[in-house]
Structures are given as C-alpha cells and as structure tokens.
Amino acid sequence: MEILISIVVGILFTVGVYLILSRNMTRIIIGTGILSHGVHLLLLTMGGLKQGAPPLLGEKAASYTDPLPQALILTAIVISFGVTSFFLVLAYRAYKAHGTDNMDEMEGAKSDE
Amino acid sequence: MTLLHWATISPFLLAILIPFFYKYFRQVHTGWFVLILPLILFIYFLRFLPTTSNGGVVTYEVPWVPSLGINFTVYLDGLSLLFVLLITGIGTLVVLYSIYYLSKVKEKLNNFYVYLLMFMGAMLGVVLSDNLIVLYAFWEMTSLASSLLISYWYHRKKSTYGAQKSMLITVTGGFAMLGGFALLYLMTGTFSIRGIIDQVALISTDALFIPAMLLVLLGAFTKSAQFPFHIWLPDAMEAPTPVSAYLHSATMVKAGIYLVARLTPVFGGVPEWFWLLSGFGIITLCWGSISAVRQKDLKAILAFSTISQLGLIMCLLGLGSASLYFGYGEEPEKYTTAATLAAIFHLINHATFKGSLFMTAGIIDHETGTRDIRKLGGLMTIMPVTFTISLIGLASMAGLPPFNGFLSKEMFFTGVLKATELSIFNMQTWGFIFPILAWVASVFTFAYCLIMFFKTFTGKFRPENYQVKVHEAPIGMLISPIILGSLVVIFGFFPNILAYTLIEPSVAAILPNLLGEGEKFDIHIYHWHGFNTELFMTLGVIIFGTLIYLTMKSWAKSHFYLQERDPINYLYDGSLEGLARGGQSFTSFYMTGSMRHYLLYIFSFLVLFLGFMFFRLDAVSFSGTESAPISAFEAIVALVMVTAAIVVAVARTRLTAIIGLGAVGYSLATFFVLFRAPDLALTQMVIETISTVLFLLCFYHLPLFKKKFESVPFKLGNLIVSLGVGILVTLLAISSHHSKFFDSLKDFFIGASYDEAGGKNMVNVILVDFRGFDTLFEILVLTIAAIGIYLMIKLRVAKEEQ
C-alpha cells in the first residue's frame, strides 16, 4: 500500500512541478495546489497506513493510527489554503494591472506600476 | 595608555578637531593649527635618540583584544625611530609647505588636513606597532588616507581614477599580507613580531613558511610600488603636490620597505627571500629609471624615479638579508651587512632629496601653471632659489659628489659588486646580472636628472608658454625645500653624524642576533675609496648618461619616447574591464529574469544533489515488509487521482484544469477516509470545495480572464525535470518508509489524550492542547491572508486602475 501511494505521490509531484514550470500563471497556481495535495498525502503515508482504528479514543480499539501526522496535515491544509487564496487574488490583480497572465511577458513589467 | 601610545594616536585626535578650527577660525589658514603637532612629535621622538642609539628599545603594551592576542603594543627601536623621525620631520615640513601651497579661500582645507592627519597617525601606528594585526589595521588606514588624498580634487576624473587604482592595488596587497600574518600566527601562536622572531628557528622549516613569505611580500611590494605593482604610483600624482611629496616619496611608499626590513629577521637567510627581494628590486630599479626618461611631466618623472629608487632600496635589503645566512665576523657577511647599511642610508637620503624635488616641482607648477617639460625652460634666473634647491636635489639623485646620493650610490655599487662574490643561493651563476642592471639603471637615472634639470631651468625663457606672470615663490613655500636641500648637503659632507645615531641602530634592528652583547656594527661612510671599480662605474654612468641626454634629439621621436604610459597599465585597465564585462555577462547569462529558469535551476539542483547523495550513500531500499495490504477500492481511488492529475497537466481549458484539480482534492479526501483520518477528510472536503469555488470565481465569473490557456507549448526540459522530481520523491518516500529507526510518539498521545487533556479526539487534542502553538499561528496565517486579500482588492494605488 505504501509503495502504491508513494508512486501516486511521485506522480502528483511530477504534475505539480511540470505545471509550476509553465509560463501561465493559472497553471502555476493549479500546480501549487497539486503539489500541496501530494505533500499532504506523503505526510500521511510516512506515518504508516491503516495500522488501527481512527484516532478517537471512543472506539476502544486495540490500536490506533498515528494522530500526529494527521494534526500536522490539518495545519498544513489550512495554511496552504490561505496561501493559495492569497496567490489567486494576487494573480488576478497582476492580470488586471498588466493585462496578461503570461510570466514571460511580465518580466519587463516591473516599472509599469 | 602611556605617553607613547597617546603620541601615536594624537594625529587622529587632532583630526577630530580640525573641522571646528576650520569653521570658527576662517581668517587663519587651518594648516597653522596642524603644524604644531608634527613638530611637537618630532621633538618628542628625538628624545628617544640616545636610548635607541645605545641599542635600547622602548616598549609598552595596552590590551585591546587580549583573548585573541591582539594588543596595542608600541615598540620603539632604531628602525622604528628612523621612520618616526622621517614621518614627523617631513610631515612638519610638508604641512608648512602646504600652508603656502593651498589657498585658504579656494580649497576645502578641513578635508585636506583631516586626511593628512589621518595618514600621519596611521603611518606612525604602522612603524610603532609590534602586533601584526594592529600593524595591519594602521596599514589599511594608510591606504584609505592615501586614496582620499589622491582624490582630493574629486571632481577631476583623473584624480578619482588614480585613487581607485591605488586603492585596488594596495588593498589587494594588504589583504594578501593579512593572510600572511594569519599564517605566521598559525605557525607561532603569537601576533607579536618580537614573539615571532624568537621562534624563527622553529618556523623556517614549516610548510607554511614560504606561503606566508609570499603573501607578506605581496603586501610590501604593492605598497612600495615594486614591479609590476608600481603602476598606481604615477597615477597618484594627481594628488596635491604636498601629498605627493609626503606620501608618495617619503613615507607611505616606504611602508613596504619598513615591513620587509622589520620581517627580515623572520624570513631572511633563505634563498627565496633573498632572490625575491633583490630580483624584484633590481627589475623595479631598471624599469623605473628607463620609464622615467620618457616622461614629460615633472611629477611623472619624479614618480618613476621614486619607483626606481624604492627598487634600489628593496634590492639592497635583499642582498643584505644574506648576512643572516652567515654568522657575524665572516668576510662575506660584512659586505652583505654593508648592503643593509646602504639601504638604510639611501632611505634617508631619498626622503630628503625626493621630498625637496617634489616641493620644487610643486613650486614650478604653482608659479608657472604648468609642469610640462616641453613648455618649461629658462627659469634659472627667474627662480634662483628653486633652481638652486633643484640642482642640489637632482645632483644628489643622479649620484654626484659631494651630495649624499653619491655616497649611497657608491655603497650600492659596492653592495652589488660584492654580491657577485657570494658563493650561496646560485649567486656564482646569476650574480653577474646585479652590477650590470644596477649600472644601466644608474645611467638612465643620470639621464633623467639631466633632462629634468636642463629642460626646466636652461634654454630660452618663453613667456608665451605660461598663462601667469612667472616669478619666484614666496618665502614660506621655500622654507621646507631649503631645509631638505640643506640636509642633502649636510648628510653629503658629514655622513657620519648619522652613522651611530640612526643608521647603526636600524641595521642592528634589521639584523638582530648577529651581534654579541655590547657589540656594534662598523659604520664608516667615506667619500673617497681610491681608484676602484665603483669609481669607474660612476665615471661610466656620467659619460653614458650625458651621451643619452646629448643625443636626445635623435631618439626623442622614437616610439619609445612618445609612449608615456607604462605598458602594464593596459594589462591593468584591460583586466579590470574584462572583470567587469565578464561579471556582467556571466550574471546576465544566468539571471535571465524568467521565473521558469530560476525554478529549473532550483529543481535541477534538488534532483542532482539529492540523487547524487542517494547514489553515494546507497540509500535506496525496497524491502516490502510492514506494508498495509492494497484493497481494490483503494486501487481505484489511486487510479482516479492519477488520471485527474494527468488531466490537469494536459488540460486545454481552464475549466477542465480546475475540475481536474477538484477531482484530485476529493480523491485525497477519500484517501483520508480510507486511511482512518476523519478530521482530515472533513477539512479537505470543505476546503477543496471552497478552493474550487474560488478558482471558478476568479476564472469564470471575471470576464477579463480568457477561458482558454494561451498556447501551452510542450517543453521536454520541463518534463524531464519534473519527472526527476517525481521519481526522486517516490524513491525518497519508499526508502525512508523502510528505514525506520525508532517508534513514533503514538503511544504517548493514546495514553495522555484523555487522562491529561480530557479529550477523546486525539487529533483535536493535539491541535488545541499538546501543540496549540501551531494552531495559534495557523490562525494568524489565515488572518493575514484574509487581510491581504481584502487590501489587494480594495486598495488602488496606480492611476490606471481607478
């Protein structure tokens, strides 16, 4: 299971990096989204998969899955959501200011604003 | 702090007060306030003369950074005292001269005297410091003060060029010297020169000995304008003439000489030191004198002449260092000691006649408005006093009796002739070049002295060449050159007044350990040695020098004469420009401004570096134990996720990409469910929904954004790099999963969640109780993001957006 998920994570990373390397701002933001999904999945995988019940003591199970990676991922999800929303609005503003969402065309635009 | 310490730093203290004097006593020339200090210092230091001439030393220590062994230790022996007297004595005369040279109305005198005092203090510090690091600090301060003084008329392009050049060259050397000092410290464990000399026997076989020597010599050679680092000195002539007279003839350029002399007991006695000093010295001597002949500017002639004379002193110090190889009393050793003696004697002589010559050149410039020897001429009767001083100075420089230059040149010839008889350091094979080069250089020295003299003072006076009415300088300007000129004559006629007061203690300081208790070196300086080789060499110099001057008309049109600039300047300018261009083109080669390129660098580095380390450490491991089993359901979700991700990568419209991203997010939420993470599944579901809505808002509801991507060209490089990252992450994940070194903290949370924190949901307990700080700042992140978004939407700064 872990190997399969590791491969899935690798594919998510590949796609994320590929999108980040493109010239289009939208694709870059979507790329960061994919990348953060990959990271979250990786975190969970590294903690070990399916080693027991959900980390709720009410379950009264013999063993539970590791709660710490889940807490870390929860924090990471929220932070990446905040950053992505900020990034998105920033991209929108940049588009309005420069009339393009092509990164290459923005190079010379420093002095415009 | 003793009086000696205060005396060393007193110029700095006075420099602080100078701007106030300048501002509140405008009617008095600021130089008068400055003049007192070097005079007092000169008299103060004269009091040490009896002590040092009896072989005594004065030393006081003030801790500065004791934990690093850096102390402000003043150490006054014969050599230091000689330099101190030169610095303060000529300093007094130069300040006096500058009072008449610089106008109090037109010039910014506060700057001038602050820099000059800064230089004087730094120079005193260099020659009085026993601690290498303190010496280095003062050394760099002399470079700084020198550059400030060269660029005193900073609105002139040539001045700033000269200042920059001297700064670059001397600071490069200074830095190398610091490296050399550090190596000395590594070998001996002390920064004190005394302490290092005590351990000479230990370090002379050390592997770091030669590197330390080379680095220190680089510092000394750049400072003392030795070939090929001499090129800054002619360009430093853009400084006001008092500065040229003081810094660039009498004091600063001798700092390198001082350093070499001071460290001779450390490095001397080995062939490398001997050959480097005497070899570079004699080349500099020749090169400087030959270059001086073709100069047309009085100060340029004097600059190259200074270079060549410094080469002479350096060469003599090199030859003299051979005596450390012998014990005292042996026959060859006496001659090499005599070379050291000649070096010290010539150092004094050079300071006197070169100082006076610079001052007379300044007077000629001041009174006629030009220094070009092609315009000057016939000044003999108009400026009789200047003429007399110049005549004395030039005759001394050319080496004519009865002036002091004659004596030191005879001693120089003796030194190089006796050097050929040495039987060490390959001198039997190569020693013959010394007398030949020395003689050639002396011929050219004689020739440029003749040129300077006859082109300036004889011939027809042509008033149309001058913009001002030419007349003799005021008496105040003449006092300093007259004093220096008189010293030239006095030292010429009575050289022995210097013998045991200044010269012998200096020689004893350069060559310690050669003397027994209470012994002294024999010092006798004669005018007449009988009919020996030296005398015939001098006659030859006079004859050939005169011939060169007489045939000047025929070679004055040659390419050699017309080309004034030193060819090494082209190398310097070219390499400086090449460095700037190379740096610029290298930077613009990789700093393209494209974010894609930077990301490619970052990811490629990541892949290559991590991949290399993986390969190096053989870290890839694939043991399949401890894995959870794969169910069909999970395999399907994984397939969906991968498909969705690939759809995003190849999507042609924005909508497809956004929906694909959403699909990836929901598959992730499904995985969270499958992997027993209910809170994560919940959050992921909600957040994915909001994100997708946000994306859609941005790209769908806002009509400015086009629905389709601009053409997405496929780039193989991007694919390779991203595949590299993906494969690397996969390998990393698999390998690290299979190499667990310790258990997780799981058991603690299971045990403590309810007992200590009173909650059954372990994830939530961790978030708000065990690791509540994370959550606090995560809330802060969201707040900042929200405020940022609000401000971005609301604030309209640029006009076109309103």
Side-chain angles (χ1 to χ4, degrees), chain B residues 173-332:
Chain B
F175 232 56
M177 192 182 83
L178 181 65
F181 289 170
L183 293 184
L184 279 175
Y185 180 76
L186 280 180
M187 286 186 279
T188 60
T190 175
F191 280 124
S192 158
I193 298 175
R194 295 298 102 195
I196 292 170
I197 290 174
D198 289 341
Q199 301 183 41
V200 166
L202 282 176
I203 64 171
S204 52
T205 49
D206 201 298
L208 295 176
F209 184 70
I210 297 293
M213 177 197 291
L214 292 177
L215 288 171
V216 168
L217 275 186
L218 198 59
F221 282 178
T222 50
K223 198 74 158 184
S224 281
Q226 297 295 300
F227 183 87
F229 308 111
H230 62 275
I231 48 171
W232 67 267
L233 192 60
D235 284 309
M237 290 302 129
E238 295 301 323
T241 304
V243 172
S244 309
Y246 189 35
L247 275 70
H248 306 127
S249 76
T251 53
M252 187 180 90
V253 286
K254 294 199 170 108
I257 302 276
Y258 168 79
L259 188 78
V260 164
R262 183 50 92 203
L263 295 178
T264 294
V266 179
F267 295 114
V270 295
E272 289 86 355
W273 181 260
F274 176 87
W275 273 104
L276 280 170
L277 284 190
S278 50
F280 275 100
I282 199 110
I283 292 171
T284 312
L285 167 65
C286 260
W287 188 276
S289 65
I290 292 171
S291 303
V293 174
R294 59 187 187 194
Q295 301 303 313
K296 282 93 190 168
D297 178 292
L298 284 181
K299 278 176 85 177
I301 300 178
L302 288 173
F304 276 105
S305 150
T306 304
I307 292 167
S308 106
Q309 308 274 323
L310 289 169
L312 188 155
I313 299 174
M314 200 64 95
C315 175
L316 281 171
L317 282 175
L319 296 176
S321 76
S323 58
L324 285 168
Y325 180 84
F326 306 105
Y328 187 56
E330 287 179 46
E331 196 62 10

Side-chain angles (χ1 to χ4, degrees), chain B residues 17 27 73 187 237 321 323 352 378 387 474 501 570 630 741 799:
Chain B
L17 298 177
Q27 64 282 14
T73 313
M187 286 186 279
M237 290 302 129
S321 76
S323 58
T352 54
F387 157 72
T501 47
Y570 299 111
I630 307 172
F741 299 107
K799 275 182 189 156

Side-chain angles (χ1 to χ4, degrees), chain B residues 21-33 95-113 152-153 366 477:
Chain B
F21 288 137
Y22 178 69
K23 197 173 172 198
Y24 295 110
F25 301 96
R26 283 307 289 262
Q27 64 282 14
V28 186
H29 195 286
T30 317
W32 291 111
F33 298 109
V95 172
L96 179 66
Y97 176 77
S98 70
I99 291 172
Y100 291 91
Y101 188 84
L102 294 171
S103 151
K104 75 175 167 197
V105 188
K106 280 184 255 165
E107 304 287 355
K108 293 195 184 72
L109 291 174
N110 51 344
N111 292 357
F112 182 80
Y113 287 110
Y152 176 64
W153 290 307
H366 205 262
M477 221 170 181

Side-chain angles (χ1 to χ4, degrees), chain B residues 30-40 91-93 95-96 99:
Chain B
T30 317
W32 291 111
F33 298 109
V34 180
L35 183 63
I36 310 157
L37 181 76
L39 192 61
I40 293 173
T92 314
L93 298 177
V95 172
L96 179 66
I99 291 172

Side-chain angles (χ1 to χ4, degrees), chain B residues 11 29 41 48 148-149 165 240 255 288 351 370 436 438 635 695 702 728 731 733:
Chain B
H29 195 286
L41 286 176
F48 290 99
L148 286 170
L149 283 167
K165 193 174 189 176
T370 181
I436 295 173
F695 272 99
L702 294 167
L728 194 79
L731 282 179

